[in-house]
Amino acid sequence: MKINRNFLNLKDSYLFATIGQKVNDYQKANPDAAIIRLGIGDVTLPLCPAVTEAMKEAVAEMGARETFRGYGPYEGYAFLREALCVSYAQKGVKLQSDEIFVSDGAKCDVANILDILSGDNVVLIPDPVYPVYLDTNIMDGRTVVFCDATAANEFLPLPDAGTHADIIYLCSPNNPTGSVYTHAQLAQWVAYAREHEALILFDAAYEAFIQDPSLPRSIYEVPGALECAVEIGSFSKTAGFTGTRCGWCVVPKGLIREDVPLHQLWMRRQSTKFNGVSYIVQRGAAAVFTEEGARQIRGHIDMYMGNAKIIAQTMAVHGFAYFGGDNSPYIWLQCPAGMTSWQYFDRLLEQANIVGTPGSGFGANGEGFFRLTAFGSHANTVEAMERFQTLF
Ligand code: PLP
């Protein structure tokens, strides 16, 4: 037996472990310090009542012989796929419901989709970005090239005609930078992908946080994307499903490579390796699209975006260079006075008892930057920003 030696090529991920250790050490040494965590990417508001009510009803159905359900469809129940289809139609995107596959979250999909793509493909990954894209490709031994996201391009890298890639990860709104591609910018990526016969893996996990109606919430708003892009979505941040687990993956039927529809391969992959998301969870997810559910979810997103505004305004008042925060729950700021990401982490922890995430944990170009998130409570966010004002 031999192991997959590609795993040995992974860099140890110390980011969240080191943050946890440093915070614990500091708290031990300073037991009275009221530490505020603005570093986590997890939500803090609970599931909304429309979702929990739907789940309770589903639990009751599962407990009655007449309505009990066993294995569900691999691709998800039609009621949820149809609700997602209607939601796409509201964005002007016409999909068939059987082009949408319900999953247990976006993390799994951005990694699992690689099962149907050759290990020979060259993968293009923005730097900095959600680290799962890189690590999952290293595990498969693929060649990875990076495209630089920097302050100069407002953390929205565009294709370079001189670089060939077969698979392209795009994340908009971006984690960690909070930047969001425009239609025109996404159109450049779609044109590149079509020219190179590449595949875009578009991670739309934060699309619900986009406030500006002129910005695209789906790559399929760009003409031609249905033939070159898979889109991955999630209920995690939109509706507080980080622990409940539900997402989706769109594999359009017109997406064909080497004369084979990727839809056919993905269906085969899912039916072989995945037995679906629980009926109860899918009922909860579908409730997000009811009138009541949509209103309640909007209230949660508005609360988080209110926090983002408070953070962004504080950064602006103090003359910090920052990105994001207006259409995303992430604020990406440049560390002052040439500090490294970790130096700034230590400074904020020790002098303001605020915990953020060092940008260097998201890629080489993240060095010298720092991520704050809007997922804390309103009171903690206000308090953290008051401390920030006092510090600067
Ligand atoms: N994609 C991005 C860009 C993320 O930041 C995250 C979580 O932080 C995920 C996907 C994971 O989403 P899920 O909870 O649906 O697996």
Side-chain angles (χ1 to χ4, degrees):
M1 199 290 289
K2 288 184 178 159
I3 60 163
N4 178 353
R5 299 194 69 78
N6 293 320
F7 276 65
L8 307 184
N9 296 328
L10 291 165
K11 282 207 190 112
D12 281 329
S13 173
Y14 294 121
L15 182 65
F16 289 99
T18 310
I19 292 173
Q21 190 63 49
K22 277 179 178 265
V23 173
N24 282 347
D25 291 350
Y26 183 80
Q27 188 79 79
K28 245 189 218 158
N30 304 274
D32 295 335
I35 293 172
I36 297 180
R37 288 175 169 78
L38 294 185
I40 45 158
D42 203 347
V43 292
T44 50
L45 290 173
L47 296 173
C48 71
V51 167
T52 52
E53 279 312 310
M55 290 170 109
K56 278 186 215 162
E57 279 171 31
V59 168
E61 282 182 60
M62 293 298 264
R65 185 186 293 274
E66 305 73 44
T67 47
F68 166 77
R69 291 162 192 255
Y71 290 119
Y74 307 115
E75 67 275 32
Y77 283 100
F79 63 78
L80 180 53
R81 290 184 289 112
E82 278 158 18
L84 280 159
C85 214
V86 170
S87 151
Y88 271 105
Q90 286 161 356
K91 295 171 202 159
V93 174
K94 227 172 148 185
L95 294 176
Q96 296 162 40
S97 61
D98 60 357
E99 292 175 303
I100 303 174
F101 295 76
V102 176
S103 74
D104 54 350
K107 186 182 201 173
C108 310
D109 282 337
V110 298
N112 292 339
I113 192 78
L114 296 170
D115 265 10
I116 65 166
L117 308 174
S118 167
D120 299 342
N121 289 305
V122 174
V123 186
L124 186 72
I125 298 179
D127 171 7
V129 83
Y130 182 51
V132 172
Y133 310 154
L134 175 61
D135 284 355
T136 194
N137 276 287
I138 291 176
M139 288 172 184
D140 284 358
R142 280 194 191 80
T143 302
V144 173
V145 291
F146 293 99
C147 57
D148 289 326
T150 62
N153 57 26
E154 299 191 347
F155 292 95
L156 291 168
L158 292 170
D160 167 5
T163 306
H164 173 76
D166 304 302
I167 300 170
I168 302 152
Y169 280 91
L170 296 179
C171 179
S172 178
N174 186 278
N175 176 14
T177 69
S179 50
V180 185
Y181 279 115
T182 63
H183 281 91
Q185 289 168 328
L186 282 186
Q188 289 190 45
W189 279 111
V190 167
Y192 173 94
R194 291 173 70 99
E195 196 186 319
H196 288 252
E197 295 195 4
L199 172 69
I200 295 173
L201 300 176
F202 189 75
D203 185 342
Y206 298 95
E207 56 84 20
F209 293 84
I210 294 178
Q211 309 289 302
D212 178 348
S214 74
L215 291 171
R217 290 174 57 179
S218 163
I219 194 163
Y220 303 125
E221 292 178 42
V222 175
L226 285 165
E227 288 86 41
C228 68
V230 160
E231 180 162 299
I232 291 154
S234 173
F235 291 97
S236 280
K237 309 299 161 80
T238 307
F241 273 60
T242 50
T244 308
R245 311 303 307 144
C246 197
W248 68 91
C249 180
V250 182
V251 186
K253 290 188 183 153
L255 182 46
I256 295 165
R257 290 292 180 269
E258 298 187 85
D259 298 327
V260 181
L262 296 198
H263 185 276
Q264 181 188 315
L265 299 186
W266 185 239
M267 184 65 202
R268 188 60 198 255
R269 189 269 172 208
Q270 290 298 78
S271 59
T272 304
K273 294 197 182 182
F274 184 58
N275 250 340
V277 176
S278 93
Y279 175 68
I280 298 159
V281 168
Q282 291 192 58
R283 276 290 178 205
V288 167
F289 299 108
T290 60
E291 211 180 305
E292 219 188 341
R295 186 173 41 76
Q296 292 167 359
I297 292 307
R298 183 42 52 199
H300 288 193
I301 291 172
D302 287 349
M303 197 288 277
Y304 291 136
M305 290 312 290
N307 288 347
K309 204 175 212 167
I310 292 166
I311 299 171
Q313 277 169 352
T314 310
M315 298 306 131
V317 164
H318 292 278
F320 274 72
Y322 74 94
F323 298 82
D326 42 3
N327 291 291
S328 94
Y330 294 124
I331 290 90
W332 180 246
L333 59 118
Q334 189 155 19
C335 304
M339 279 189 222
T340 67
S341 303
W342 278 110
Q343 283 169 342
Y344 194 57
F345 174 91
D346 290 337
R347 176 150 189 223
L348 273 189
L349 175 62
E350 288 161 16
Q351 298 185 7
N353 299 164
I354 298 171
V355 179
T357 313
S360 51
F362 298 95
N365 288 327
E367 182 57 278
F369 284 84
F370 202 74
R371 190 191 77 174
L372 294 175
T373 86
F375 289 126
S377 70
H378 174 73
N380 273 353
T381 307
V382 170
E383 161 77 21
M385 290 304 107
E386 278 168 10
R387 291 186 199 171
F388 202 91
Q389 309 226 22
T390 313
L391 184 62
F392 295 98

